[in-house]
Amino acid sequence: MTSNTLTTAGLAVGVGLLAVEHVRWWRGSGGAAPAAGKGKGGGPAAAGGAAKDPKVLLPYWFGVAFGTLCVACPAGMLGTGAGFLRWGGNGAGGWVMSSMTGQHATAVANAAAPALDEYGAIVVTALVWVLFMLRGTFAKALKGKWWRGVWTGTLLAISTGVFAMIGNLVVPGANDLGAWAFNGLVHGTL
């Protein structure tokens, strides 16, 4: 049950995920500020949240990049996982679209990210290995942002227009990084 097609409903889910993450970032954590004078320091309370700190978006955008790389691996397990996430986005978005608007989703694009070459595959393999080995060291909140980014990347990376720019930056970037590392580490030429 995987999908190589992105529908208008899946696109809406991807844009929705993108919007929700950026609204949360814009507003900050939303937690209440601690009362002034409490605690050891007794100083004034800091404003709650980390609103508009770009570092907060890093796990999400790293997930978007990883989801884009998954789309570029159509023959492997990562590509199958990306197809499953796309199927879920198309299905959930299609149900909401048809039940709320009465319209049915239509195809936007087929899975056609730029090709990942053998050097890009080195980067993705190393990245998967690092993520697997460090999986227990990441906080739960970071994992949630990362997974939402992966889902967004699998939905938006194969669309057309502005969203296709993500795929056109990430995949060739991984290919170039892999070629640079391979030539430097194996052949000693940088």
Side-chain angles (χ1 to χ4, degrees):
M1 290 192 173
T2 61
S3 175
N4 290 331
T5 303
L6 177 68
T7 65
T8 52
L11 180 67
V13 169
V15 170
L17 288 167
L18 183 75
V20 165
E21 201 61 40
H22 285 81
V23 166
R24 285 180 180 165
W25 166 75
W26 185 262
R27 293 180 61 195
S29 66
K38 296 213 174 186
K40 211 169 188 180
K52 301 178 191 106
D53 183 6
K55 293 181 287 195
V56 175
L57 287 174
L58 285 176
Y60 176 77
W61 279 102
F62 180 68
V64 170
F66 189 79
T68 303
L69 289 171
C70 290
V71 172
C73 303
M77 288 175 44
L78 293 176
T80 302
F84 182 75
L85 290 173
R86 204 166 27 259
W87 171 79
N90 287 338
W95 179 78
V96 171
M97 182 179 279
S98 65
S99 63
M100 296 294 158
T101 69
Q103 298 296 319
H104 296 287
T106 59
V108 174
N110 284 327
L116 192 69
D117 64 14
E118 65 273 6
Y119 299 119
I122 294 170
V123 172
V124 173
T125 302
L127 183 60
V128 167
W129 187 252
V130 167
L131 289 172
F132 178 74
M133 296 302 288
L134 295 176
R135 69 190 180 281
T137 63
F138 299 119
K140 188 174 182 179
L142 291 178
K143 289 178 186 177
K145 287 181 183 195
W146 185 79
W147 278 111
R148 284 189 298 274
V150 170
W151 197 14
T152 304
T154 61
L155 289 171
L156 298 183
I158 66 168
S159 64
T160 57
V162 175
F163 294 122
M165 289 181 2
I166 297 170
N168 290 328
L169 291 172
V170 172
V171 177
N175 292 339
D176 293 343
L177 178 63
W180 175 80
F182 182 79
N183 290 327
L185 296 172
V186 175
H187 298 299
T189 58
L190 291 177

